[in-house]
Amino acid sequence: MARLRPGAVVLGLVVAAALAFPFVMRAEGDAYYLSFASRILIYALAATSLNLVLGYGGMISFGHAAFVGTGAYVSSILLAEGVASAWIGWPAAIAASALAALAIGAVSLRTRGVYFIMITLAFAQMTYFLVNSMKAYGGDEGLTLPARARVGGGIDLDDAQTFYYVALAALAAALVALHRLAHSRFGRVIRAIRENETRAEAIGFPVYRYKLVCFVIAGAAAGLAGALLASHGKYVNPSVLHWTQSGSLMVMVIIGGVGSLWGGALGATALLGLEDLVANHRVAWVAALLPNYPQHAGLAVGLVLLAVVLFAPQGIAGLLARRPR
Amino acid sequence: MTAPLLAAIELRKRFGGVPASDGVSLTVSPGEIHALIGPNGAGKTTLIAQLAGALRPDSGRIELAGRDITALGPSGRVRLGLARSYQVTTLFGALGVLDNLALAVQARSGSSMSFWRPAAREKALYEQAAAIVARIGLAGRESVAAAHLAHGEQRTLEVGLALATRPRLLLLDEPMAGMGPEESARMLALIQQLREAEPALSVLLIEHDLDAVFRLADRISVLVSGRVLATGTPAEIRADAQVRKAYLGEESA
Amino acid sequence: MSGILILEQALNGLQFGLMLFLLAAGLTLVFGIMDMINLAHGSLYMLGAFLAATFVSLTGSFALGVLLAVPATAALGMLLEMSLLRRLYARDHLSQVLATFALILVFNEAVRIVWGTDLPLAAPEALSGPVELFPGMLYSSYRLLIIAVGAAAAGLLYYLVAKTRIGMRVRAGASNREMALAMGADIPRLFTVVFGIAAGLCAVAGALLGPILAVQVGMGENILIVAFVVIVIGGIGSVRGALVGSLIVGMVDTIGRAFLPIAFGAFLPPQLASAAGPATASVLVYLLMAVILTLRPQGLFPARG
């Protein structure tokens, strides 16, 4: 009988739990958590796409929300204009985000270090302001959508359970793709560039080109997350492009484990879970200190993040990896 | 006389008010070991950086086998056969020796815009990398992370990485930097072996160890204050009065 | 389009630019000397504004309130530096980004808990009316005060950095930290002082802009990004670059917002102009940054070669 590695067993359990989740929720009659879980899956996808650029590629891009937002807005605008099919809307969102990543990356990647961080930040703000001024599509009030995108073939996205599985499939596809990418020739080059960019160039890899391709791939995946996000809430507004959203994505990646396959997923679960915990589950002794503490969830997030950066920089994945096998 | 493999023509480079390269011209012939010596601050590393493409000269030209490469970046030059090792060790520290070399082999073996197939399955890459490991004398250290190697081993890997790109011309920036006498002797032997195994391989070598330089080099150029003071065979250089005054006289071993 | 209108907008641009300079100067010094990205710089600006509003309402005097807020913020800044930020100097940029981003969250919530979401801060009575610069040209006297204070601060900073020994050590540290260390500069104390000065400058800007832009939680983030654009354009580590960058950005942004929609209206159909005008105006400074960086990736006056 073949011996099962502990990692494979854990993976199997996680997959099984993820697949069974909606049925458990249906049994409990709880619609809120099913929707919440879908939201976690979407953010897990977005955070995973950032992890590619940040964790594997070593590019500290503070503007990733721009690509999530581009995907969200392109798919929303199409839906608002009557193009209901996801088969058009979602590829369009992915293409638009990839293009945005190409444009922003082409300029930003010519810079290094601190400049790069600030430029990506500034460009993301630029897209925020641009979208904010699009009065035709809601401006700063946002855009409400008539319905979720249509997939056809019996798959009805308006059904919460179906949507959950579609989001799960998207995340699963992204994780598989990331895994293969990391071990491919391209992945090796990207990781070598992160390790020592000068050396990578000096053995013959045109570094700028590889970084740009990596950036675009990540942008495209972020675009898909954006499209899913827009359909999920049937609403989109410019705040999805705000740089603090980029910050949230980075927080997810660092908490989950930068550069590890599950970092994005773990981080999204942790951050959104923490926010939900603070907002919805009253803890008596904290309430005694601070009566309306749920409104100050940001404080908890900030403190947790500080703790992680100072004491556990490898995030949850790093903590898990340190446990003796 | 055969056409030079590498020609640097009137290279000039200023940093602020200081001319690091003040009209440097030199050539490297196919199959020769050409050493570049000079006091600290003479501009040797700046010159290597310009030759390798890491630094753009303010004016002047660089030609490789007759082709103007002045505007070409480092990775482009590597593809044309010009490889460099660094004075300050520049390796993929977290990766093992074999993985370091495999990357260099991968760079010259087809496109790396391949996103799905696992690279670990490419036997050819690793076989070639293993051959280089043996050739540079690091057999048995394949899986040691580069950052954990002894200093001498790291300098050897530096040269190995440049070698793995199958260059026509090697630019070695102080390969023996920080090495004790035993390690230096090994590096010396390695460079000699390289030349014996590949007579067509050219080497431009910066080195402070004058003993090694006079033993190895076919020709020596002396760089002082950003200019080539003299170029010639070891015997000629040793005899040159200007060189003795400017450099050899004040050299502290 | 009258010349007076242009002059008024130019003065507004100057005013905005000088306040930006107060933020950018501190930011670029911290970057240049300590090699640290500090996203919480905007939080210090916000703290300065809130403290000023508090002191003003306590003392009844605008001047006194601002004068108290500045050293208070500087002290808090130095406390922050000594307790927390110091640990980040040796860390990589990503850690610095995330830790200071965490500080933004913490500060925003802390301010909200202590003071609430916003505080009123009014310009002093004496300056609430306009001043006649020359016949036909009226300009807000408060804004003139801001320009005066900003120019004075710029002058003072220039004097400090270019003519004093502390300034010399600061410049040495900005261009070559190892060398400065080797020459005996007390680096930890220098860093704390630099950070305190930066925090004080933020407080001046926050307090002065409070009456115009509103003292509220989150006010720091918007201006922080513009400050980033300024120092990227000006060159990291260079106070001169920060000044030039601030003035350019201040002018371009203000004049752009005022006149671009009109200019677009002149040769574009009204529908398009009313959308494209404001949109382009709001992103003008970012486009400017992109152009400058394409031509000079190190900015206009990089401190290190």
Side-chain angles (χ1 to χ4, degrees), chain B residues 10-144:
Chain B
E10 286 292 309
L11 292 178
R12 284 173 206 279
K13 182 73 185 173
R14 287 184 157 261
F15 293 116
V18 182
S21 297
D22 201 10
V24 175
S25 297
L26 62 73
T27 63
V28 179
S29 308
E32 86 165 323
I33 296 187
H34 191 135
L36 190 63
I37 64 176
N40 281 322
K44 304 192 290 293
T45 299
T46 306
L47 178 61
I48 291 271
Q50 290 174 79
L51 293 175
L55 211 57
R56 262 292 194 86
D58 296 332
S59 67
R61 243 173 39 243
I62 302 170
E63 288 177 2
L64 185 66
R67 175 179 164 161
D68 190 336
I69 60 169
T70 320
L72 205 55
S75 54
R77 296 187 195 197
V78 171
R79 282 167 188 268
L80 289 180
L82 180 64
R84 169 190 187 175
S85 81
Y86 289 81
Q87 177 185 1
V88 176
T89 307
T90 307
L91 304 168
F92 300 116
L95 300 182
V97 169
L98 198 62
D99 286 323
N100 265 268
L101 292 168
L103 270 166
V105 175
Q106 181 183 321
R108 62 161 165 83
S109 325
S111 166
S112 285
M113 288 290 179
S114 147
F115 307 97
W116 191 257
R117 296 205 3 244
R121 292 216 198 115
E122 289 191 53
K123 292 231 175 93
L125 285 184
Y126 279 93
E127 277 163 15
Q128 290 176 51
I132 300 171
V133 170
R135 201 167 157 204
I136 60 177
L138 283 181
R141 305 288 278 163
E142 284 88 347
S143 44
V144 178

Side-chain angles (χ1 to χ4, degrees), chain A residues 112-315:
Chain A
R112 297 290 185 82
V114 157
Y115 288 96
F116 178 74
I117 301 175
M118 293 195 292
I119 289 169
T120 51
L121 180 52
F123 277 132
Q125 268 311 76
M126 191 168 113
T127 55
Y128 168 77
F129 285 127
L130 277 172
V131 167
N132 212 356
S133 63
M134 285 193 320
K135 300 299 172 199
Y137 294 112
D140 65 344
E141 305 232 314
L143 189 61
T144 311
L145 302 175
R148 291 181 174 171
R150 257 214 297 277
V151 179
I155 303 180
D156 176 23
L157 286 184
D158 280 301
D159 173 44
Q161 194 165 313
T162 313
F163 190 89
Y164 171 90
Y165 283 121
V166 169
L168 185 63
L171 178 64
L175 288 171
V176 169
L178 181 58
H179 179 78
R180 295 297 292 225
L181 192 73
H183 293 281
S184 69
R185 276 194 168 213
F186 181 80
R188 289 237 171 144
V189 178
I190 286 295
R191 287 191 293 175
I193 291 174
R194 186 193 68 199
E195 185 64 31
N196 193 324
E197 187 170 319
T198 311
R199 222 340 143 186
E201 185 88 40
I203 54 176
F205 291 117
V207 165
Y208 172 77
R209 208 181 300 173
Y210 280 88
K211 280 179 159 182
L212 187 56
V213 170
C214 185
F215 204 74
V216 170
I217 294 176
L224 177 60
L228 287 169
L229 194 63
S231 267
H232 182 248
K234 289 192 278 203
Y235 172 67
V236 70
N237 99 355
S239 68
V240 75
L241 291 142
H242 199 257
W243 70 282
T244 46
Q245 284 292 322
S246 290
S248 290
L249 287 173
M250 293 188 98
V251 172
M252 291 180 197
V253 172
I254 192 79
I255 289 183
V258 64
S260 78
L261 183 64
W262 293 92
L266 286 171
T269 311
L271 185 64
L272 292 175
L274 178 64
E275 284 175 350
D276 185 69
L277 204 67
V278 172
N280 297 334
H281 299 269
R282 215 155 179 75
V283 178
W285 63 268
V286 184
L289 285 174
L290 198 62
N292 37 342
Y293 79 88
Q295 291 172 9
H296 303 293
L299 190 60
V301 174
L303 290 172
V304 168
L305 178 58
L306 260 178
V308 169
V309 172
L310 290 174
F311 306 121
Q314 298 303 324

